[in-house]
Amino acid sequence: MLDNGRRAGTRIALDGTGLRPADIAALAERTARPAPPDPKALARAGESWDTARRLAATGRVYGRSTGVGANRTQDVGAADAAHGLRLLRSHAGAIGDPLPAREVRAMLAVRANQLLAGGAGLNPAVITALLAALDSGAHPVVNEHGAVGTGDLAALAQTGLALAGEHPWHCAPGAGPPAPVALDNNDALALISSNALTLGQSALALDEMRRLLAAALPVAALSLLAVGGSHEPFAEPVVLARPHPGSAAAAARMRTLSGIPVRPTAPLGRIQDPYGFRCIPQIHGPALDAADTLEAVLTVEVNAAAENPLISIEDQAAYHHGNFYAAHAALALDTFRLAVLQTARLSTARLAALSEPDFTRLRPFLGDAAPASSGVMILEYAAGAALGEMRAVSHPASLGHAVLSRGVEEQASFASLGARQTLRACAYYRQVLACELVAALRALRMRSLEPEPALPLATAYALAADALDPRMEDRPLTDDVAVAAGLLDALAQV
């Protein structure tokens, strides 16, 4: 069973050390709200701010007493209070459509938590303003494109201008925008030197994709029941012979769902099934492992003081570095999408098997008694189209390349693109699984088969049977697939 985590009304503490991807998703979806900032973390952020201003006043600190990028060699006077606002205004050039509210809220949660890690040297008033906005549901207007995986500069610059009162907010009905925060020349780069939007979007994608991966197994188990498939692939000796954690977890869940013994026997007269049924642990398992890897990477990143320069309170120093480069996230996102794509291909393979009389002992395409009935034939096409879209967005974003800022920044991770691609992959994966679920339930109904009442799979069957149209005649299946897609989150809890 998937742990759905947070209940509405939950308060999540942000302290720069313990935020999880699931927490970010809950804050973004407003099923949880931020707790008041940890006093110790806020005090540390204040000490970092004082340290940064002192260092900038007495020496060269990137982005504070100098320009940025190729302008890093140009000095900025300590009295030039407008430098920070000029930096925000020049960088707030994101383009494309405004992002959905939940994605911007995820960014706000990540950025506030990172700032509480205490390495940014930013005015603590900015942190409290971000948390207040997150608590109220207000979020700045942020456009989609403006990053290449070396910091979400444009999105965070728009956020900075919104905090300063120069950029629009979206607010809850009857509520106004937060009061403007006075920013000085030390605050601009400290705010925008982060991949907070990329990490927030990644956390949302991981949260949804985990639910879909959890739902995929009861859907597969219903298909397995519909074709009378073998339980041998899920045997414990098979798992122990090649003990990858994700494969072991997938096999164990299939056994639990369907009441499969640890040493099952094959159905009479069947040697082995096609890959769609036989290789579920070996193909679903890597996706579960990749999800765990991505979660570990994101947990490090959202609790990291990755700003450049790092303001060290202990050393009273500013360290210039490359921690903003998001290769870990980019590679983990790419691997995750490719792993989930394999499970989607397996779902379409099972869908094809459900249309085959040799497996179901029913008419082709699960058609009714009418001559040449097409049944669920079109679902193979629809699922294939969704799979094609998913394959397109699974192309590794980290293969991208860019040389920017007069050649000073000669490499890019494109983690930002990888995060958006992973969010889009969720929608396509949901459609693929929904097509399989419609066909599996239809086959079970036509065969008058139901799981044993005491099994978890019986709950999955009941959820689907209560919601899906029982008519078998040829008719449009668009609404059926939409209903099935909406059921997947509930199936993840079975």
Side-chain angles (χ1 to χ4, degrees), residues 177-196:
V181 177
L183 302 176
D184 67 18
N185 60 334
N186 284 286
D187 294 326
L189 184 65
L191 175 63
I192 69 177
S193 183
S194 163
N195 293 290

mmCIF file of all heavy atoms in Angstrom, residues 177-196:
data_model
loop_
_atom_site.group_PDB
_atom_site.id
_atom_site.type_symbol
_atom_site.label_atom_id
_atom_site.label_comp_id
_atom_site.label_asym_id
_atom_site.label_seq_id
_atom_site.Cartn_x
_atom_site.Cartn_y
_atom_site.Cartn_z
ATOM 1 N N PRO A 177 -2.069 40.734 -2.151
ATOM 2 C CA PRO A 177 -0.683 40.245 -2.190
ATOM 3 C C PRO A 177 0.042 40.561 -0.890
ATOM 4 O O PRO A 177 -0.375 41.443 -0.134
ATOM 5 C CB PRO A 177 -0.079 41.018 -3.365
ATOM 6 C CG PRO A 177 -0.887 42.270 -3.442
ATOM 7 C CD PRO A 177 -2.284 41.895 -3.032
ATOM 8 N N PRO A 178 1.120 39.842 -0.616
ATOM 9 C CA PRO A 178 1.901 40.142 0.581
ATOM 10 C C PRO A 178 2.466 41.557 0.521
ATOM 11 O O PRO A 178 2.670 42.126 -0.551
ATOM 12 C CB PRO A 178 3.034 39.102 0.533
ATOM 13 C CG PRO A 178 2.540 38.030 -0.387
ATOM 14 C CD PRO A 178 1.661 38.710 -1.370
ATOM 15 N N ALA A 179 2.706 42.134 1.698
ATOM 16 C CA ALA A 179 3.316 43.464 1.753
ATOM 17 C C ALA A 179 4.709 43.405 1.140
ATOM 18 O O ALA A 179 5.439 42.421 1.325
ATOM 19 C CB ALA A 179 3.396 43.934 3.200
ATOM 20 N N PRO A 180 5.112 44.431 0.388
ATOM 21 C CA PRO A 180 6.443 44.420 -0.235
ATOM 22 C C PRO A 180 7.562 44.323 0.800
ATOM 23 O O PRO A 180 7.448 44.828 1.918
ATOM 24 C CB PRO A 180 6.488 45.762 -0.976
ATOM 25 C CG PRO A 180 5.058 46.127 -1.201
ATOM 26 C CD PRO A 180 4.317 45.613 -0.009
ATOM 27 N N VAL A 181 8.634 43.657 0.394
ATOM 28 C CA VAL A 181 9.827 43.509 1.228
ATOM 29 C C VAL A 181 10.918 44.397 0.636
ATOM 30 O O VAL A 181 11.144 44.387 -0.580
ATOM 31 C CB VAL A 181 10.298 42.040 1.251
ATOM 32 C CG1 VAL A 181 11.578 41.899 2.060
ATOM 33 C CG2 VAL A 181 9.204 41.131 1.801
ATOM 34 N N ALA A 182 11.580 45.152 1.482
ATOM 35 C CA ALA A 182 12.674 46.012 1.016
ATOM 36 C C ALA A 182 13.907 45.144 0.750
ATOM 37 O O ALA A 182 14.419 44.488 1.661
ATOM 38 C CB ALA A 182 12.976 47.073 2.056
ATOM 39 N N LEU A 183 14.351 45.110 -0.498
ATOM 40 C CA LEU A 183 15.527 44.332 -0.876
ATOM 41 C C LEU A 183 16.682 45.274 -1.151
ATOM 42 O O LEU A 183 16.498 46.346 -1.746
ATOM 43 C CB LEU A 183 15.235 43.490 -2.121
ATOM 44 C CG LEU A 183 14.065 42.502 -2.017
ATOM 45 C CD1 LEU A 183 13.849 41.813 -3.359
ATOM 46 C CD2 LEU A 183 14.311 41.478 -0.931
ATOM 47 N N ASP A 184 17.895 44.891 -0.740
ATOM 48 C CA ASP A 184 19.045 45.721 -1.046
ATOM 49 C C ASP A 184 19.975 45.004 -2.015
ATOM 50 O O ASP A 184 19.642 43.929 -2.537
ATOM 51 C CB ASP A 184 19.767 46.160 0.233
ATOM 52 C CG ASP A 184 20.440 45.003 0.975
ATOM 53 O OD1 ASP A 184 20.665 43.924 0.372
ATOM 54 O OD2 ASP A 184 20.753 45.174 2.169
ATOM 55 N N ASN A 185 21.150 45.572 -2.266
ATOM 56 C CA ASN A 185 22.026 45.024 -3.296
ATOM 57 C C ASN A 185 22.621 43.679 -2.902
ATOM 58 O O ASN A 185 23.223 42.999 -3.726
ATOM 59 C CB ASN A 185 23.150 46.015 -3.617
ATOM 60 C CG ASN A 185 24.014 46.318 -2.395
ATOM 61 O OD1 ASN A 185 23.556 46.216 -1.265
ATOM 62 N ND2 ASN A 185 25.244 46.719 -2.641
ATOM 63 N N ASN A 186 22.434 43.243 -1.654
ATOM 64 C CA ASN A 186 22.947 41.950 -1.214
ATOM 65 C C ASN A 186 21.939 40.821 -1.381
ATOM 66 O O ASN A 186 22.290 39.655 -1.200
ATOM 67 C CB ASN A 186 23.367 42.022 0.257
ATOM 68 C CG ASN A 186 24.685 42.745 0.451
ATOM 69 O OD1 ASN A 186 25.736 42.215 0.146
ATOM 70 N ND2 ASN A 186 24.614 43.984 0.948
ATOM 71 N N ASP A 187 20.690 41.157 -1.688
ATOM 72 C CA ASP A 187 19.637 40.140 -1.621
ATOM 73 C C ASP A 187 19.314 39.474 -2.952
ATOM 74 O O ASP A 187 18.738 38.385 -2.980
ATOM 75 C CB ASP A 187 18.345 40.766 -1.068
ATOM 76 C CG ASP A 187 18.490 41.204 0.375
ATOM 77 O OD1 ASP A 187 19.213 40.520 1.119
ATOM 78 O OD2 ASP A 187 17.887 42.226 0.747
ATOM 79 N N ALA A 188 19.653 40.088 -4.069
ATOM 80 C CA ALA A 188 19.173 39.604 -5.361
ATOM 81 C C ALA A 188 19.761 38.250 -5.733
ATOM 82 O O ALA A 188 19.040 37.263 -5.904
ATOM 83 C CB ALA A 188 19.467 40.628 -6.446
ATOM 84 N N LEU A 189 21.085 38.191 -5.861
ATOM 85 C CA LEU A 189 21.697 36.925 -6.262
ATOM 86 C C LEU A 189 21.460 35.845 -5.217
ATOM 87 O O LEU A 189 21.271 34.674 -5.548
ATOM 88 C CB LEU A 189 23.194 37.103 -6.509
ATOM 89 C CG LEU A 189 23.900 35.834 -7.032
ATOM 90 C CD1 LEU A 189 23.383 35.462 -8.414
ATOM 91 C CD2 LEU A 189 25.408 36.013 -7.053
ATOM 92 N N ALA A 190 21.447 36.240 -3.935
ATOM 93 C CA ALA A 190 21.210 35.267 -2.872
ATOM 94 C C ALA A 190 19.853 34.586 -3.027
ATOM 95 O O ALA A 190 19.686 33.416 -2.663
ATOM 96 C CB ALA A 190 21.297 35.961 -1.519
ATOM 97 N N LEU A 191 18.872 35.300 -3.581
ATOM 98 C CA LEU A 191 17.547 34.707 -3.783
ATOM 99 C C LEU A 191 17.507 33.824 -5.018
ATOM 100 O O LEU A 191 16.951 32.719 -4.996
ATOM 101 C CB LEU A 191 16.498 35.811 -3.906
ATOM 102 C CG LEU A 191 15.074 35.330 -4.247
ATOM 103 C CD1 LEU A 191 14.522 34.435 -3.150
ATOM 104 C CD2 LEU A 191 14.154 36.523 -4.486
ATOM 105 N N ILE A 192 18.113 34.276 -6.123
ATOM 106 C CA ILE A 192 17.902 33.581 -7.396
ATOM 107 C C ILE A 192 18.906 32.461 -7.641
ATOM 108 O O ILE A 192 18.738 31.679 -8.591
ATOM 109 C CB ILE A 192 17.910 34.574 -8.572
ATOM 110 C CG1 ILE A 192 19.300 35.156 -8.804
ATOM 111 C CG2 ILE A 192 16.876 35.667 -8.347
ATOM 112 C CD1 ILE A 192 19.374 36.099 -10.013
ATOM 113 N N SER A 193 19.931 32.330 -6.802
ATOM 114 C CA SER A 193 20.955 31.298 -7.019
ATOM 115 C C SER A 193 20.460 29.960 -6.477
ATOM 116 O O SER A 193 20.898 29.486 -5.430
ATOM 117 C CB SER A 193 22.266 31.716 -6.332
ATOM 118 O OG SER A 193 23.273 30.764 -6.586
ATOM 119 N N SER A 194 19.552 29.334 -7.208
ATOM 120 C CA SER A 194 18.922 28.097 -6.744
ATOM 121 C C SER A 194 18.197 27.434 -7.901
ATOM 122 O O SER A 194 17.786 28.089 -8.855
ATOM 123 C CB SER A 194 17.920 28.415 -5.625
ATOM 124 O OG SER A 194 17.026 27.349 -5.403
ATOM 125 N N ASN A 195 18.019 26.130 -7.785
ATOM 126 C CA ASN A 195 17.191 25.358 -8.725
ATOM 127 C C ASN A 195 15.834 25.027 -8.109
ATOM 128 O O ASN A 195 15.274 23.951 -8.329
ATOM 129 C CB ASN A 195 17.911 24.069 -9.114
ATOM 130 C CG ASN A 195 19.161 24.320 -9.917
ATOM 131 O OD1 ASN A 195 19.108 24.733 -11.071
ATOM 132 N ND2 ASN A 195 20.319 24.085 -9.302
ATOM 133 N N ALA A 196 15.283 25.954 -7.326
ATOM 134 C CA ALA A 196 14.087 25.654 -6.537
ATOM 135 C C ALA A 196 12.884 25.272 -7.390
ATOM 136 O O ALA A 196 12.105 24.392 -7.009
ATOM 137 C CB ALA A 196 13.734 26.845 -5.653
#
